[in-house]
Amino acid sequence: MTRTLDRLSAATADLDPPFAALDAGTLRRNAGDLVRRAGGTPIRVASKSVRSRAVLEAVLGSDLTGGAGEHTGFRGIMAYSLREAIWLAGHGARDVLVGYPTADRGALAQLAEDATLRESITLMIDSTEHLDAIDAASTRRAGLRVCIDVDASLRIGPVHVGVRRSPIRTPDDAAALARAALAHGFAVVGVMFYEAQIAGLPDSSAPVTWMKKLSAAELRSRRRAGVAAVESHTGPLEIVNGGGSGSLEVTSADPTITEVTAGSGLYVPTLFDRYRAFRPDPALFFALAAVRRPAPTIATLFGGGYIASGPAGASRVPTPVWPSGLRLLRNEGAGEVQTPVTGAAARSMRIGDRVWFRHAKAGELLERFDAVHVVDADGAVTAVATYRGEGQCFG
Ligand SMILES: Cc1ncc(COP(=O)(O)O)c(C=O)c1O
């Protein structure tokens, strides 16, 4: 990481912080590593963990589709909002799975009215209420593509390990929803089992690693039965999706799976530092400048309070990574406008000196910046727009 930061620092010396920088070589290597770990199963890119159309194009090709040329390992996008999916389809994307249900009536109506959008976008559902919401948005719903989200959490007695999303858990639940969707005139094209407790949980202790193994084994049989139950009504499914950056080899090892999802593994934020399956090679950083020296051991930087989502706590705060040995102050943390750092390196810092940080999560940082500065191996810097830079904010 130090070598990457040396290169980023030299290449961006003329830029005034705060700014975000992405190392192109590391991004490419990380993309290759995800493909290797997926072992031949196509990877759908989680756009929430990218949040720049230009970076999506770097991974999927300029048609945002993937599956050809140097982009053979990646195919399609998992969008996080229907409005985003519609926007991406407007830029050429033809295989967009919306990873979460929507209640956006305007976007549903727009989808239903447009044949290209209907063919390019797949909605996520987990209840008949979703079907009713789609029905209510437009009378033109025939052929709308839907995917059933099946709860992939682990239950041990009363203990729930995993995220709280879909109420659909058993093969019977999934089959009943598939039947209802077909009765509404929708095309049931897929099922998704997102095992957050495996894909999104670092291997922080032996019990966690044990739980992950147990969960993968339980899910394997439930996934097979769930897919069979749905397919008995729909015929062969196009999409059986699962996984995330932290679980590619485990998820792709299940022959039921047709595709895995990954996004965070491209940028590698700090929450992805402690997985057994891969060695982190961070690609995305942000730089802040020292603007004052309140004490000999403290430098105070401009900006920095880019706190990640999830349970509030130390793991969600950005981490100063260069110069090495700097840390945030416990009382102030990363501030709205001012971020003090302390440590040996702070003693020699002058006004205007830079500190490089990593964010805790992958895409959220780019909601703070209009552009991300992409640095090539030869030191060339290209500013590419983030979603925000294109005036797009999907929540
Ligand atoms: C439905 C779904 N699939 C996959 C992922 C994995 O994304 P990433 O690789 O960025 O962790 C997530 C992340 O939260 C998700 O919600």
Side-chain angles (χ1 to χ4, degrees), residues 46 48-49 78 99-100 124 149 165 192 194 196 199-200 241-246 261-265 272 361-362:
K48 76 175 181 61
S49 305
M78 178 178 284
Y100 316 87
M124 194 62 66
D149 185 352
R165 293 189 186 172
M192 178 178 82
Y194 172 54
N241 180 286
S245 295
T261 300
S264 301
F272 281 79
K361 291 189 85 169

